[in-house]
Amino acid sequence: IIHSERFSAVLVHLRNGSVKVTEGQHVKVGDLLGEVGNSGNTTGPHLHFQLMKGDDPFTAIGLPCRFKSYESYRHKAWEHVTNGIPGRLERIRYGPG
């Protein structure tokens, strides 16, 4: 879980043993935090990312998160999105841009 003064972000299903940061460490844009994996109850490697108001991913209020660039799986194809906020349970992936 990454904490800031206003919100927290949780990254779940990282590959076991791949986390590169320690509790209390300050991180910045571009820092490697860990590697996508298949930990927990999953069917394949992926990243579960949640921006939230609070520290407990099970009880915190989720917050919308705007991404500079990503691809969204819509109408059976990947579509590039710029400066967008994914919808609930929308399937997205990194899209350079």
Side-chain angles (χ1 to χ4, degrees), residues 20-36:
K20 305 295 184 199
V21 293
T22 59
E23 187 172 345
Q25 180 180 341
H26 289 253
V27 297
K28 63 186 182 312
V29 173
D31 285 351
L32 177 62
L33 306 178
E35 298 171 4
V36 172

Side-chain angles (χ1 to χ4, degrees), residues 36 45-49 65-74 76-87 89-97:
V36 172
H46 72 285
L47 176 67
H48 175 121
F49 171 82
C65 183
R66 183 174 306 277
F67 292 90
K68 186 187 299 185
S69 177
Y70 64 93
E71 292 181 339
S72 176
Y73 194 71
R74 302 175 180 164
K76 300 182 181 180
W78 289 101
E79 297 178 13
H80 183 79
V81 178
T82 302
N83 195 28
I85 300 174
L89 301 178
E90 184 174 351
R91 186 175 172 198
I92 67 170
R93 69 182 183 185
Y94 172 72

